[in-house]
Amino acid sequence: MSTDVTNRVILREARPEDDKVIGDLLVEAYTTQYARLMPEVVYSEERKAFLRDIASRRNACTILVAEVDGEIAGTVALYPPDAPGSEAWLPRTADLRALATGVRFQGQGLAQPLLAETEVIAKRWGVDAISLHVRRGAKGVARMYERRGYQRVPEGDLERPDVYLEAYLLPMK
């Protein structure tokens, strides 16, 4: 049975000393969740190295962490419009990437405060929308975003050799 920990969450911007914990959290969360929900998904060592390389993305985006009782329990990155690494397909659009909660915190409501904070940041930036991509077949993930008001926008889909990503957009106005 999951316990809601949202009343004990502290949201803050990630610091350089958090990079290893964030990278390990991303790899563990993605490989564990996808292995359970989509066993055909395999993360290459190259992809895992990219997920762990938080430092190289720090200057391009805002990386947030959710702490529970002093432990980093979740993370998300928000790229401003036109930032290196952004996958936004529309101008004046922030791009949400790398949302994850630690395995032992999954199902406890941590994604919601992280997403709410990205929306606050996007409004402060004055963007028109937040974009994101969800791996095709990750129905539960897509439903979570749809419940927050994200709309499916097929023209923003990305097809890569190893994955098809479906696009979603949250208008900010």
Side-chain angles (χ1 to χ4, degrees):
M1 172 116 182
S2 66
T3 305
D4 188 326
V5 296
T6 56
N7 61 339
R8 301 191 333 258
V9 172
I10 295 171
L11 297 175
R12 64 172 175 80
E13 235 179 280
R15 299 183 290 256
E17 59 268 24
D18 300 325
D19 289 356
K20 180 174 180 351
V21 173
I22 295 168
D24 290 346
L25 182 150
L26 286 169
V27 169
E28 182 184 28
Y30 284 12
T31 58
T32 302
Q33 279 297 91
Y34 280 127
R36 188 171 55 81
L37 300 173
M38 301 170 72
E40 72 280 6
V41 174
V42 176
Y43 274 85
S44 67
E45 290 307 311
E46 180 181 1
R47 179 68 177 152
K48 289 176 187 176
F50 172 80
L51 290 170
R52 285 189 173 102
D53 189 9
I54 304 304
S56 70
R57 296 190 296 277
R58 177 177 308 289
N59 292 331
C61 67
T62 298
I63 301 170
L64 299 174
V65 295
E67 283 187 355
V68 175
D69 302 328
E71 178 182 350
I72 294 177
T75 187
V76 68
L78 189 67
Y79 288 76
D82 302 318
S86 172
E87 293 178 343
W89 63 95
L90 295 171
R92 299 185 39 79
T93 301
D95 187 39
L96 189 135
R97 308 276 304 274
L99 173 66
T101 57
V103 171
R104 65 186 203 88
F105 292 98
Q106 288 173 354
Q108 297 182 39
L110 283 177
Q112 297 311 311
L114 284 164
L115 290 171
E117 188 63 20
T118 63
E119 293 162 19
V120 168
I121 293 167
K123 286 178 184 172
R124 188 176 334 126
W125 289 347
V127 300
D128 295 337
I130 299 174
S131 68
L132 61 86
H133 290 91
V134 174
R135 181 183 288 271
R136 178 179 276 164
K139 304 283 187 216
V141 174
R143 279 193 303 274
M144 175 190 67
Y145 289 120
E146 289 168 346
R147 283 192 299 270
R148 281 203 76 81
Y150 282 83
Q151 302 158 8
R152 179 78 174 89
V153 184
E155 57 266 26
D157 288 1
L158 293 174
E159 186 168 6
R160 298 194 173 138
D162 59 336
V163 66
Y164 190 93
L165 299 170
E166 296 179 334
Y168 289 82
L169 197 68
L170 177 68
M172 297 308 297
K173 302 200 181 219

